[in-house]
Amino acid sequence: MRIRSLGVIDDAVVELSPGFTAVTGETGAGKTMVVTSLGLLLGGRADPALVRIGSEKAVVEGRVTVPPGTSAVVRAEEAGAELDDGALLISRTVSAEGRSRAHLGGRSVPVGLLAELADDLVAVHGQTDQQGLLKLNRQRQALDRYAGDGVAVPLAKYGEAYRRLRAVATELEEIVTRARERAQEADMLRYGLDEIAGVEPREGEDVELAEEAERLGHAEALASAATAAHSALAGNPEDPEGIDAATLVAGAHRALEAVRSHDPALAALADRIGEIGILLGDAAGELAGYADDLDADPLRLAAVEERRAALTALTRKYGRHGDGIDSVLAWAEQGAARLTQLDGDDERIEELTAERDALRAELGGLAQALTDARTEAADRFAAAVTAELGSLAMPHARVSFAIRQTEDPEGVEVDGRTVAYGPSGADEVELLLAPHPGAPPRPIAKGASGGELSRVMLAVEVVFAGTDPVPTYLFDEVDAGVGGKAAVEIGRRLAKLAKSAQVVVVTHLPQVAAFADRQLLVEKTNDGTVTRSGVKVLEGEERVKELSRMLAGQEDSETARAHAEELLATARADK
């Protein structure tokens, strides 16, 4: 990784090797910035406070080798990312104003995509994860994750039935609690539908009536205009001396017809004038018919206006402005369907009640299957974690799970009892620890010290590594509160885990750092920053010197140096 302008780090490169890498340094030197940087690459929250004072932005760039064909590679390629010789190039930029950008394989991508890939690439664990393990829901999630398909399959079926039950129960509650409101709604719908049925509107009727009213209201002017136009075209019988268009066109046609044989061009004009005469005759006939059919009936006009008023009243109450009577008919159709639904409330309540009871019974059976699957997995999980604790200087400790249910008269029936249930089943899962023989198992939140909790957390992760492996594990001072022999055992166990995965540990314990295949030292310059030269690989004498500092706070102490060399020799012999 390359880190620029992040916290105390000005510009530094962190080279993580395969196997076990330990990151050490003085308190406040910037070791945790390594964890923070990796968190940003994995889609973590961008905090503008992380940007170094005086800088416009912080940038973290990383090169992550990924096995071909894995889900992380597939998802990255779907997003348009390109692999660089089997590696994904990831970058994250955080501005001082809080804006964040992410790039994956040369493509700009949503930050959420990095978080999606994180689960398949790196498992990050710090002291906050230990606190998370104290929560019961996290303990249940850990057990479910270990159980795999044994729990995942029945849990998926349970989840589907649970969601359906919640939907049915919600609808049933709404119908019952809103019975009065629904009855009032039904009465209003009936009134409106009866009012519309009494008028019996037709689709498009208001448009037709508007046209008829316009025609009836101007009947005299229309008749006069039609008569005058007819006279101009075909003549007026009462004025035999008058000249009309039809007579003039007919005369023009006869004149041309007499000489058409002498010139084809004139013959064509004669034909066109003949067509005009035919059109004039047709138009004159239609005008005569229009004038004869025009009805200037005041009674009909009054009836039309009365009908229009009735339709307008309906539109104002039940239609949409500008859509006319058609929107009233649409409202009536929807209202009738809704009324049918409301009138069927009693029948629907009966149906939903029956479905709810059936789903409760089904859910109880599925919850029982989940309990059985978790109980079986809990025994295996607890045995595996207990075995790991034996390798972490807790040989007499015993881990177990308490799986129980809480009685609730409104719950589902499991194993003959009515118990509370939720989206993940009816089980309360709690991790218990008996640190030594004769000690009663107690919840780890109450029965484990800080050092014991660190080792339980590490043991849990080692067990997960065998069932749900990821390429890289990052531990941020999970050895807090541990020392002496326990610290040596943690270092030994991390080295064993590093044989099957890449392990990165930020630690203050020399006993842990001694087991690392590579040790990185993070140190500040005189001005309080970490530069490119401030993260370096320790070899030989430099590594002994750093371990001496971690042991005694004195780099030049001969006793500390001897102890450091002894730790390194022991670690090499174990590996």
Side-chain angles (χ1 to χ4, degrees):
M1 292 188 299
R2 183 181 182 186
I3 309 166
R4 286 179 288 168
S5 301
L6 185 72
V8 298
I9 298 180
D10 179 27
D11 189 346
V13 175
V14 181
E15 297 181 12
L16 304 176
S17 67
F20 181 3
T21 299
V23 181
T24 63
E26 292 277 8
T27 300
K31 301 189 298 298
T32 56
M33 285 297 104
V34 175
V35 181
T36 302
S37 299
L38 190 55
L40 287 173
L41 287 183
L42 299 176
R45 188 176 70 87
D47 185 354
L50 296 173
V51 180
R52 183 170 175 75
I53 296 175
S55 300
E56 294 181 358
K57 61 185 178 181
V59 181
V60 182
E61 300 167 300
R63 178 183 175 88
V64 183
T65 303
V66 287
T70 58
S71 58
V73 172
V74 173
R75 184 68 185 90
E77 290 179 338
E78 287 176 352
E82 295 182 2
L83 269 67
D84 179 21
D85 194 20
L88 277 174
L89 301 180
I90 307 174
S91 71
R92 184 82 181 276
T93 303
V94 181
S95 73
E97 292 78 25
R99 292 189 300 274
S100 172
R101 292 182 179 179
H103 288 81
L104 177 68
R107 286 293 186 90
S108 177
V109 296
V111 173
L113 177 60
L114 301 185
E116 288 182 35
L117 301 180
D119 291 339
D120 296 320
L121 297 177
V122 181
V124 181
H125 295 286
Q127 296 185 52
T128 55
D129 297 275
Q130 294 181 17
Q131 297 304 315
L133 192 61
L134 300 179
K135 299 178 181 178
L136 296 186
N137 66 323
R138 288 288 296 275
Q139 294 173 21
R140 177 189 53 72
Q141 291 170 5
L143 176 59
D144 289 354
R145 174 185 166 195
Y146 175 82
D149 288 344
V151 166
V153 173
L155 182 58
K157 295 179 180 177
Y158 175 93
E160 184 178 349
Y162 176 83
R163 288 187 291 274
R164 176 58 189 159
L165 175 58
R166 298 312 302 160
V168 168
T170 299
E171 184 179 352
L172 181 60
E173 182 180 4
E174 179 187 0
I175 293 176
V176 172
T177 57
R178 294 185 55 201
R180 176 178 297 179
E181 295 177 19
R182 293 166 72 90
Q184 292 173 346
E185 184 183 356
D187 287 342
M188 292 177 62
L189 286 172
R190 285 193 193 91
Y191 178 84
L193 291 171
D194 288 345
E195 187 174 8
I196 293 171
V199 176
E200 295 182 339
R202 291 182 293 103
E203 186 176 350
E205 183 182 3
D206 53 342
V207 177
E208 297 174 5
L209 289 173
E211 294 174 353
E212 186 178 0
E214 185 72 11
R215 189 167 55 252
L216 289 171
H218 300 81
E220 292 184 3
L222 293 172
S224 176
T227 300
H230 178 269
S231 298
L233 293 179
N236 186 348
E238 298 179 0
D239 184 13
E241 300 297 329
I243 300 175
D244 57 82
T247 300
L248 293 174
V249 171
H253 184 253
R254 286 192 301 271
L256 294 179
E257 280 292 319
V259 295
R260 65 177 296 152
S261 60
H262 302 305
D263 188 351
L266 203 60
L269 286 171
D271 292 340
R272 289 170 61 189
I273 291 175
E275 292 174 2
I276 292 173
I278 295 171
L279 290 174
L280 285 174
D282 290 343
E286 291 181 18
L287 285 169
Y290 178 84
D292 291 340
D293 293 340
L294 195 60
D295 185 9
D297 185 355
L299 295 179
R300 174 57 185 166
L301 178 58
V304 167
E305 293 294 355
E306 183 179 352
R307 178 67 176 173
R308 291 183 68 197
L311 296 181
T312 301
L314 290 181
T315 303
R316 207 165 34 239
K317 286 185 179 181
Y318 308 109
R320 293 186 300 272
H321 179 71
D323 289 347
I325 201 64
D326 289 355
S327 62
V328 175
L329 294 172
W331 181 92
E333 183 179 355
Q334 296 168 1
R338 175 62 174 163
L339 184 59
T340 300
Q341 181 183 4
L342 293 172
D343 285 342
D345 273 0
D346 291 342
E347 182 179 344
R348 183 61 177 158
I349 288 174
E350 188 176 331
E351 291 175 357
L352 289 172
T353 301
E355 186 177 2
R356 180 199 61 189
D357 294 343
L359 284 169
R360 279 181 181 274
E362 179 186 357
L363 210 62
L366 292 171
Q368 181 65 62
L370 267 178
T371 300
D372 295 341
R374 284 174 175 148
T375 300
E376 187 275 332
D379 293 338
R380 292 187 289 111
F381 192 17
V385 174
T386 296
E388 285 298 328
L389 289 176
S391 301
L392 296 172
M394 294 178 68
H396 304 297
R398 293 291 180 270
V399 166
S400 59
F401 280 95
I403 300 177
R404 54 182 176 266
Q405 299 82 32
T406 301
E407 294 195 7
D408 182 353
E410 300 297 324
V412 296
E413 186 173 333
V414 177
D415 197 21
R417 296 184 303 138
T418 303
V419 299
Y421 65 99
S424 300
D427 301 320
E428 294 178 7
V429 177
E430 189 165 31
L431 185 61
L432 308 178
L433 174 68
H436 54 80
R442 300 182 63 194
I444 59 172
K446 300 177 181 178
S449 65
E452 289 170 338
L453 183 58
S454 295
R455 282 176 278 177
V456 171
M457 182 67 191
L458 179 57
V460 167
E461 196 54 62
V462 170
V463 170
F464 279 148
T467 59
D468 184 22
V470 293
T472 301
Y473 291 86
L474 174 62
F475 295 94
D476 180 19
E477 297 192 5
V478 293
D479 49 18
V482 178
K485 182 180 178 181
V488 173
E489 295 300 334
I490 286 179
R492 183 178 287 119
R493 198 63 192 86
L494 288 169
K496 183 178 179 181
L497 177 60
K499 292 179 179 180
S500 59
Q502 182 185 38
V503 176
V504 181
V505 179
V506 178
T507 183
H508 66 283
L509 291 181
Q511 297 94 329
V512 172
F515 280 87
D517 300 307
R518 168 181 286 187
Q519 184 171 348
L520 299 179
L521 174 64
V522 181
E523 58 182 356
K524 295 180 181 179
T525 58
N526 291 332
D527 64 357
T529 65
V530 177
T531 62
R532 182 180 294 272
S533 61
V535 180
K536 61 182 180 179
V537 179
L538 300 180
E539 301 283 357
E541 182 62 26
E542 287 185 326
R543 189 171 185 189
V544 172
K545 186 176 179 181
E546 170 64 6
L547 290 176
S548 300
R549 181 199 64 76
M550 297 171 72
L551 280 164
Q554 300 174 3
E555 300 173 357
D556 299 325
S557 167
E558 290 300 325
T559 302
R561 288 176 58 82
H563 192 183
E565 291 172 349
E566 182 182 1
L567 277 176
L568 286 170
T570 301
R572 292 192 190 100
D574 280 350
K575 292 192 291 185

